[in-house]
Amino acid sequence: MSIKIHLPRSIIYLGTAAVTLILIIFLYSANRDNGSRSLQKAQRESYRLGTIVRITLYGDDSKKLNNVLDLSMKEIERLENLLSVNIPSSDVSLVNRASGEYPVKVSEEAGSLLERAIEWSERTGGAFDPTVGKIVKLWGIGTESAAVPDPEQLKEAVDMTDFRKVSVLHEVNGTFVQTAKGQRIDLGGIAKGYITEKVKALLINEGVSSALIDLGGNIAVFGSSPKPGKWKLGLQHPFMPRGEYFGIAEVSDVSVVTSGAYERYFESGGIRYHHIFDTATGYPALSDLASVTIISEDSTDADALSTALFVMGFERGISLLRELKNVEAVLVAKKTEGTIVYVTKGLSKGFLLKDPAMKKAPEVQ
Ligand code: ADP
Ligand code: MG
């Protein structure tokens, strides 16, 4: 959730993509006569969470939909104020300022999300680690001071990156978090997924029956698509400009989250340094994957997993996927023989490869 220079658009909702034909079909179907009443579309876009947030709702009462959009944006702002490492009054910042000193009282939401992050740290052998904050800060990717850090300082930051040194305590008088001296929590790899879930819960609670939530490429859809059939989401091409997709996922009632090295980076001495770090070295992960898309019912899990699998790389990533139920993935791997796309069995029929230069491997998992 740090400031981004390269805005993430990992997933392109084809209904609003700059492909005129698709757009026309989409608009036609969004306004089609839906039984007795016409289907209304309400959309709101805003710069939040260091990215572009866009929520699209469908229903028959446009005034009501717009009110719900107001509530959704407020909910995103409320959660950003709790979870952002860049907002000094956030729960995360309070914890970071008291590292090694005392347990800090936090909201139940921040405490539980940190616990979820730690669970994924355990399951991924620390490839995903919310205590990566010192490393993230030293590189400053997405800020004006992005630079290759001093190796000594980077080594110290790697030593401080250890989720095992964090305790989340649920006491009768509230939730408390204690970190070790010098540790810095950064929930940038999971918070957008969590916020997506919270917005989804709010929408359902408000009676919305069909929606697309897009927090900078962290997508969730529920209800019926305005077009006949499932929702069609374009997956950002890892080597092409933003808005170009390599494949289409046809999904319903799930979250689709992509992580890739192309999302945020800076260049120095002809080398590109990106924003997903190998917690063992402190350097941007030298992944054999160009992008990882996770499709799962829960957006929090999908967000943590897309970041984790990118760090873990193909072999470790696939073996983790095998252990998980109801989690599908599209992995774009860089191999000597070219770019290979791996799709898990459960998704196979719901994925269409569009780039003829990429090869689809036999189904995995
Ligand atoms: P994006 O924010 O571009 O959607 P990700 O969900 O993959 O992408 O999250 C990347 C963010 O996660 C980084 O900006 C940083 O805040 C954090 N991060 C980087 N490396 C790790 C890691 N190994 N484990 C957990 N979080 C990480
Ligand atoms: Mg993530």
Side-chain angles (χ1 to χ4, degrees), residues 128 188-193 218 257-259 276 300 302-308:
F128 184 90
I190 192 168
K192 278 189 291 190
N218 197 308
V257 181
T258 301
S259 285
I276 303 176
T300 314
D303 193 5
L305 271 170
S306 65
T307 308

Side-chain angles (χ1 to χ4, degrees), residues 330-352:
V330 180
L331 308 178
V332 180
K334 298 173 283 186
K335 302 259 171 178
T336 39
E337 65 269 30
T339 308
I340 315 286
V341 181
Y342 294 85
V343 181
T344 52
K345 277 196 188 96
L347 179 69
S348 184
K349 285 196 191 80
F351 175 78
L352 268 150

